Amino acid sequence: MLRLKYEQIADQLARDIRGGRLPRGARLPGEHVLASRFEVSRNTIRQALAELGSRGLIATHSGKGSFVTFDDRPLDDRIGWTRALAEQGVHTTVEVIRLELVTDRAMADRFGVEDDEFVALDRVRSIVDGPPISFECTRVAATGPMRELTESGLDGSLYDVLRAEGLVPEQGEEWVELGQITEVEAAVLGRSPGERFLRARRLCRDRHGVFVEHTESLLDPDRFRLHLKFGGVE
């Protein structure tokens, strides 16, 4: 099968990383250098870097933006929190408490999705042999094989399933606020009603602006932080 140019570049860089020519954790050459090396545009290089990020081989950080940390360790949540936490030496278990089809016209209109059916996936994440640290409620469009998740179940990372369908989160928005948890949420988390948790809402789209997922999470504020970065005056 013919590989697109950015995929060919990503394949070559992946071989460089795996072969030790580009050590893991080292900074990659800049976009200008890579564009010159491969004789392509910077936009093609950005696509190649995004592809490497989706494979979990690199973590890209812009001069501005925000990312979540766990015990002050940064998490690359584009590769899924299970893998991101594991890469930081934090091993978790995940309990799926809801996996079903739901109809939500208001959500479809809000996110520009034609079909109003979504796969609802609610999960509780806990430290291995420890307490719950998050409660995550995710909605993805119920299109194609994604609908089959409600019957086959989720075995592994949701992000891996999304990527297999060509749905790679590359852009979006996130809102975070501190609030009190309800009785229902407290029961799920094994906490007391009224305790304060970080309440995060994350909307992800692919590079073309197509809806990928929406997740509302409750995060233990003793463990999670939101880290902001900003650049200098341009």
Side-chain angles (χ1 to χ4, degrees):
M1 184 175 70
L2 181 64
R3 302 280 284 173
L4 297 175
K5 187 64 177 180
Y6 80 87
E7 293 176 316
Q8 297 174 27
I9 294 171
D11 290 342
Q12 179 58 57
L13 291 173
R15 286 193 290 270
D16 290 347
I17 293 171
R18 294 190 176 105
R21 291 181 292 276
L22 288 173
R24 288 179 179 267
R27 183 182 295 274
L28 288 176
E31 291 179 1
H32 283 296
V33 174
L34 291 173
S36 177
R37 171 187 171 185
F38 292 104
E39 299 182 337
V40 295
S41 68
R42 290 179 65 188
N43 185 58
T44 299
I45 292 299
R46 292 189 188 105
Q47 289 178 297
L49 295 178
E51 175 65 21
L52 285 175
S54 72
R55 299 181 192 180
L57 289 174
I58 66 170
T60 58
H61 301 285
S62 62
K64 301 178 181 180
S66 64
F67 54 92
V68 173
T69 67
F70 182 84
D71 288 348
D72 295 324
R73 288 170 282 188
L75 299 180
D76 183 5
D77 50 11
R78 296 168 306 161
I79 62 176
W81 276 8
T82 298
R83 186 184 304 171
L85 286 163
E87 288 186 353
Q88 295 294 341
V90 181
H91 298 286
T92 60
T93 60
V94 178
E95 178 187 2
V96 175
I97 61 175
R98 184 187 189 191
L99 180 56
E100 63 182 6
L101 287 175
V102 297
T103 300
D104 193 329
R105 185 69 260 167
M107 178 176 286
D109 291 341
R110 187 161 73 251
F111 300 142
V113 181
E114 184 176 344
D115 196 336
D116 62 359
E117 276 196 313
F118 297 85
V119 174
L121 174 61
D122 296 351
R123 295 169 290 179
V124 177
R125 189 179 305 277
S126 304
I127 298 292
V128 172
D129 297 325
I133 56 174
S134 70
F135 177 29
E136 304 151 23
C137 300
T138 300
R139 304 294 179 265
V140 297
T143 57
M146 299 305 299
R147 297 179 64 92
E148 300 174 6
L149 282 178
T150 57
E151 296 183 3
S152 62
L154 178 64
D155 183 17
S157 168
L158 175 63
Y159 274 24
D160 287 344
V161 177
L162 290 170
R163 289 192 193 95
E165 298 305 312
L167 296 171
V168 180
E170 299 235 355
Q171 56 182 305
E173 301 175 79
E174 187 164 13
W175 302 262
V176 181
E177 59 186 4
L178 186 63
Q180 295 180 324
I181 56 177
T182 66
E183 289 189 10
V184 172
E185 294 165 344
V188 171
L189 290 164
R191 301 296 185 100
S192 300
E195 281 192 45
R196 291 188 176 276
F197 261 62
L198 290 176
R199 192 178 296 271
R201 292 184 295 120
R202 180 179 175 87
L203 170 63
C204 293
R205 300 183 185 275
D206 69 8
R207 64 168 60 97
H208 304 295
V210 176
F211 173 82
V212 175
E213 65 151 336
H214 179 263
T215 298
E216 293 193 11
S217 303
L218 288 171
L219 310 174
D220 184 346
D222 289 334
R223 312 299 296 272
F224 289 95
R225 299 286 190 274
L226 182 66
H227 181 88
L228 303 176
K229 294 182 68 175
F230 57 90
V233 177
E234 299 179 357

